[in-house]
Amino acid sequence: AEDVTYCRVLVQRLKQALRPEQRLRVRIDAAGDCAALMAAVHQEGAHFLIKAKLTRDLRAAVFAHPEWRTVIYDEDGTPARQVADIPFARASWQEAGLAVRVLAVRTLERTSGKQVQLWEDLDYTVKVYLTNDLECDGDWLARDYEGRAGIEPLIGEFKHHLGIGAVPSHSFNANHAMLLLKLLTYNLV
């Protein structure tokens, strides 16, 4: 919630660079599962696509959902990837007047990122996404979010091998300055 103003400024800047027919989609990890942040992105006319915090009530809603659309079958004809729109809303979303679409993807495939196994007798794992895009296909949106995983090895290299992820203090401004110095040093070397 502390980053809402900064995110709003970033969305405004990015929207200025877009052509009128282009849409901005903001992808955020579970830290973005915040009503104030989602409301800010929505109010600026952008779509958000956020990995949901899997709270107990959300997991229960996904577990109990009866209808799943199969998008991939394995070689035996068994559903390998299924998608569902889950009827669920957090109280904070309702208080903020947000219409949040909750998408769940359950799969037999092991993909990158955290997956939660909800079904003891089944090999499915599930990922859940939040969006204000009410029109796009749910499977396409989930794949769009998962597409960011290609950048993860590069981020990992910067953070761990080059020490860019190490933060020296609790001050955001000091850490920001240190990050800029590290990036400048990296570019010079």
Side-chain angles (χ1 to χ4, degrees):
E2 296 169 1
D3 296 325
V4 168
T5 303
Y6 180 63
C7 286
R8 187 182 294 272
V9 168
L10 290 176
V11 169
Q12 290 169 352
R13 282 186 187 169
L14 289 167
K15 285 198 55 133
Q16 289 174 358
L18 297 177
R19 294 186 305 272
E21 70 274 9
Q22 292 178 308
R23 296 287 309 200
L24 177 63
R25 186 176 318 281
V26 179
R27 293 186 297 194
I28 310 173
D29 64 13
D33 188 347
C34 164
L37 183 62
M38 290 188 282
V41 171
H42 181 73
Q43 289 163 0
E44 293 302 325
H47 285 147
F48 55 79
L49 184 55
I50 299 171
K51 187 168 240 183
K53 288 181 190 171
L54 287 173
T55 56
R56 181 176 295 206
D57 54 347
L58 178 54
R59 285 194 312 264
V62 172
F63 180 79
H65 192 70
E67 296 178 29
W68 293 79
R69 179 174 58 96
T70 301
V71 293
I72 296 178
Y73 291 90
D74 68 10
E75 61 277 355
D76 297 326
T78 303
R81 181 179 173 98
Q82 296 179 313
V83 181
D85 281 82
I86 307 297
F88 177 83
R90 297 193 202 285
S92 61
W93 304 344
Q94 293 171 336
E95 291 166 8
L98 279 170
V100 178
R101 181 180 178 194
V102 180
L103 299 169
V105 176
R106 68 182 185 184
T107 181
L108 296 175
E109 302 169 9
R110 299 297 178 245
T111 59
S112 63
K114 182 180 178 184
Q115 296 173 216
V116 175
Q117 189 168 7
L118 295 178
W119 299 273
E120 205 169 293
D121 296 334
L122 296 175
D123 290 332
Y124 286 114
T125 57
V126 70
K127 290 183 181 180
V128 181
Y129 305 96
L130 311 174
T131 186
N132 60 338
D133 187 336
L134 306 177
E135 297 174 11
C136 279
D137 176 67
D139 186 49
W140 185 90
L141 287 167
R143 289 181 188 278
D144 185 45
Y145 184 92
E146 293 165 2
R148 82 192 231 324
I151 194 71
E152 297 297 333
L154 298 174
I155 293 171
E157 182 178 341
F158 281 134
K159 287 171 73 175
H160 303 294
H161 299 297
L162 301 173
I164 288 177
V167 292
S169 76
H170 294 290
S171 166
F172 176 81
N173 290 332
N175 293 335
H176 186 213
M178 184 59 74
L179 173 67
L180 294 177
L181 286 171
K182 289 177 181 181
L183 289 174
L184 178 61
T185 303
Y186 175 79
N187 285 327
L188 290 174
V189 173

